[in-house]
């Protein structure tokens, strides 16, 4: 994929990082204009967002003002000079956005979850030059996300950014949607020129958590933020809990630490290189040690098999956990991390022991088998 960098999407585009802010939904002319005016007066974003059509999880919720709101957004554009972003879920929305002079279209999580919907949207985008943001699907399936991006790209759209908005959890978590940061990181590893923007509002689900998630996204060097801001969140018709008041939004932006990598400074880069060399060497040793540990697991499996012992010895496993976590604590390695790591190692060790025992048993070499001969 050859993607156009955000800074070249429009002539004079402020995009480092790209800040998109505005209400979840357009509700009334007053709400849209008042929110835009407060954004302009506090910390003007490059792009004003607002949903006109809201694909809601449950019927009966406010599902958007529709076409009527387009005129308000055009007014925002004219009065405040913001670029405008609107969500499109079906081909008709795309057509209305193009007619309404919308600058950026975004595809929501419910739509990117469905390749068939994306195909339909891609078909109407053929031959159109407009930036498209693709939010991640509801499930943490990186290929589904990539599939949606590829379908849009195949329609000839080369101004694309992915938007990380978290993944629906199965159980209650602190956040409304699980960030699973490893997924956007992996997406960036696979597509080096694909910008990934974070939507801390939909990850958090709660206004008080938005700043920490936004900062995390900046620490991970994401290309921008999409933040929901409403002039009066408590009265909002959608996503009321997570929308920020304009002053909370400007506090967030003014306190945000944006770490600009100084990739051209040789002193900084040499030291980083040195530290990375040490990490490489330690990783190498870690894998060697893991390999030796697994070889011992194979021998233990063999021994248990010959002596008719069960693979899992609960006492021993509890002892391992206790002693290792206590050592880790002393050495300032987090106990949760250590426990998770040990569990993975233990799982693999059991798998290897079971495999060894299975093979020996097939050859009749385990104790209890008729053919045991040693
Ligand atoms: C939104 O941006 O208001 C929205 C509906 O987001 P998502 O598709 O990420 O749920
Ligand atoms: Mn929303």
């Amino acid at each position: 994929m050859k993607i156009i960098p955000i800074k070249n999407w429009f002539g004079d585009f402020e995009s480092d990082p790209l800040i998109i802010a505005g209400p979840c939904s357009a509700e009334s002319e007053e709400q849209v204009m008042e929110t835009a005016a407060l954004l302009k007066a506090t910390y003007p974003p490059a792009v004003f967002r607002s949903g006109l059509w809201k694909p809601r999880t449950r019927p009966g919720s406010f599902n958007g003002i529709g076409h009527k709101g387009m005129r308000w957004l055009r007014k925002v554009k004219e009065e405040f000079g913001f670029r405008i972003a609107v969500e499109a879920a079906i081909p008709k929305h795309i057509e209305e956005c193009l007619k309404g002079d919308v600058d950026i279209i975004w595809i929501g999580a419910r739509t990117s979850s469905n390749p068939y919907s994306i195909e339909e949207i891609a078909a109407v985008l053929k031959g159109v030059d407009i930036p498209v943001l693709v939010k991640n699907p509801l499930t943490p399936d990186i290929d589904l996300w990539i599939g949606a991006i590829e379908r849009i790209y195949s329609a000839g759209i080369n101004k694309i950014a992915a938007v990380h908005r978290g993944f629906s959890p199965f159980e209650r978590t602190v956040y409304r949607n699980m960030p699973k940061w490893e997924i956007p990181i992996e997406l960036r590893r696979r597509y080096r020129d694909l910008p990934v923007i974070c939507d801390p509002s939909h990850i958090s689900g709660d206004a008080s958590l938005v700043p920490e998630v936004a900062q995390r996204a900046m620490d991970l060097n994401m290309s921008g933020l999409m933040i929901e801001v409403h002039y009066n969140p408590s009265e909002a018709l959608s996503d009321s809990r997570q929308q920020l008041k304009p002053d909370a939004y400007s506090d967030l932006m003014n306190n945000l630490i944006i770490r600009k990598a100084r990739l051209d400074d040789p002193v900084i880069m040499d030291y980083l290189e040195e530290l990375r060399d040490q990490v490489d060497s330690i990783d190498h040793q870690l894998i060697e040690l893991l390999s030796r540990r697994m070889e011992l697991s194979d021998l233990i499996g063999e021994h248990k098999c010959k002596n008719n012992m069960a693979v899992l010895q609960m006492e021993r496993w509890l002892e391992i956990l206790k002693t290792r976590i206590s050592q880790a604590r002393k050495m300032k390695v987090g106990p949760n991390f250590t426990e998770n790591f040990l569990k993975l190692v233990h799982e693999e060790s059991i798998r290897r022991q079971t495999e060894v025992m299975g093979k020996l048993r097939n050859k009749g070499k385990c104790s209890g088998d008729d053919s045991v001969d040693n």
Side-chain angles (χ1 to χ4, degrees):
M1 276 200 282
K2 187 85 204 78
I3 308 229
I4 310 248
I6 299 178
K7 66 174 164 31
N8 298 335
W9 283 3
F10 308 102
D12 53 340
F13 200 41
E14 181 56 53
S15 66
D16 196 19
L18 175 65
I19 304 300
I20 305 174
C24 178
S25 314
E27 298 162 4
S28 67
E29 181 164 352
E30 183 199 305
Q31 170 250 7
V32 168
M33 295 310 290
E34 208 32 49
T35 304
L38 289 165
L39 286 174
K40 184 78 182 179
T42 53
Y43 195 104
V47 180
F48 183 84
R49 65 149 280 157
S50 176
L52 294 180
W53 303 279
K54 305 298 297 178
R56 305 307 298 280
T57 302
R58 305 275 305 272
S61 313
F62 171 67
N63 61 3
I65 201 81
H67 175 75
K68 191 173 151 195
M70 200 58 93
R71 197 175 54 79
W72 311 333
L73 297 181
R74 200 192 274 274
K75 230 175 130 183
V76 165
K77 190 167 164 160
E78 282 162 8
E79 272 186 37
F80 303 107
F82 298 140
R83 300 274 170 183
I84 301 293
V86 172
E87 173 175 354
I90 54 173
K92 186 169 159 287
H93 299 161
I94 303 268
E95 283 156 11
E96 296 228 14
C97 285
L98 297 176
K99 263 191 251 155
D101 223 8
V102 164
D103 299 288
I104 297 176
I105 287 172
W106 91 77
I107 295 172
R110 286 155 195 79
T111 312
S112 68
S113 299
N114 181 351
Y116 188 65
S117 301
I118 296 288
E119 289 279 355
E120 290 192 329
I121 287 176
V124 283
L125 282 171
K126 275 226 162 71
V128 178
D129 179 24
I130 189 165
V132 177
L133 311 179
V134 183
K135 287 198 163 194
N136 65 257
L138 298 166
T139 45
D141 179 342
I142 191 168
D143 289 318
L144 193 57
W145 196 4
I146 290 173
I149 293 165
E150 283 173 340
R151 286 185 163 95
I152 299 298
Y153 183 75
S154 306
I157 301 286
N158 54 6
K159 295 172 182 162
I160 303 186
V163 181
H164 169 231
R165 49 78 77 202
F167 304 92
S168 290
F170 301 112
E171 291 154 4
R172 264 180 105 63
T173 59
V174 179
Y175 296 134
R176 174 180 176 191
N177 289 295
M178 303 178 289
K180 294 186 82 60
W181 297 101
E182 68 280 11
I183 293 186
I185 291 171
E186 173 62 12
L187 184 66
R188 271 161 56 202
R189 191 190 64 77
R190 292 202 209 170
Y191 299 92
R192 302 307 296 261
D193 57 356
L194 174 72
V196 182
I197 289 166
C198 180
D199 170 347
S201 304
H202 287 86
I203 291 177
S204 309
D206 184 312
S208 69
L209 300 172
V210 174
E212 66 183 49
V213 177
Q215 185 60 59
R216 185 77 201 275
M218 290 297 98
D219 291 347
L220 293 174
N221 221 358
M222 294 222 180
S223 301
L225 296 170
M226 182 192 259
I227 302 180
E228 286 188 341
V229 184
H230 189 290
Y231 79 145
N232 185 5
S234 58
E235 300 284 308
L237 299 179
S238 60
D239 289 350
S240 148
R241 280 186 45 190
Q242 74 195 30
Q243 301 206 57
L244 295 183
K245 290 188 180 143
D247 56 351
Y249 155 79
S250 74
D251 281 354
L252 183 165
M253 291 310 302
N254 287 318
N255 291 318
L256 200 64
I257 301 164
I258 297 164
R259 301 178 211 279
K260 291 235 184 306
R262 286 150 69 189
L263 298 176
D264 50 351
D265 183 330
V267 177
I268 292 175
M269 290 319 281
D270 283 355
Y271 182 52
L272 184 62
E273 214 37 54
E274 220 174 83
L275 295 174
R276 284 179 172 164
D277 284 347
Q278 292 183 45
V279 166
D280 288 351
S281 156
I282 290 177
D283 281 354
H284 189 83
Q285 295 175 65
L286 269 177
I287 291 177
E288 270 180 5
L289 283 173
L290 279 171
S291 158
R292 277 169 50 200
R293 196 188 191 283
M294 291 305 159
E295 280 165 21
L296 290 171
S297 294
D298 292 348
L299 293 177
I300 290 176
E302 209 176 308
H303 185 73
K304 284 180 180 166
C305 182
K306 289 184 175 156
N307 295 288
N308 205 15
M309 294 162 81
V311 170
L312 179 64
Q313 306 278 331
M314 191 49 86
E315 294 300 303
R316 162 77 179 152
W317 169 227
L318 294 178
E319 183 61 21
I320 287 181
L321 274 175
K322 200 170 111 202
T323 52
R324 280 30 161 200
I325 289 174
S326 142
Q327 184 198 359
R329 232 186 255 281
K330 284 186 198 132
M331 302 185 78
K332 299 199 166 24
V333 178
N336 285 340
F337 163 74
T338 307
E339 183 172 339
N340 288 336
F341 174 72
L342 286 171
K343 279 183 181 157
L344 281 176
V345 171
H346 186 241
E347 243 171 58
E348 176 63 4
S349 170
I350 290 204
R351 190 192 67 74
R352 299 256 309 223
Q353 288 186 35
T354 310
E355 192 176 279
V356 165
M357 289 171 100
K359 277 190 193 144
L360 287 177
R361 191 165 292 118
N362 284 343
K363 289 189 199 149
K365 295 231 164 115
C366 276
S367 137
D369 294 336
D370 290 338
S371 55
V372 168
D373 58 6
N374 55 356

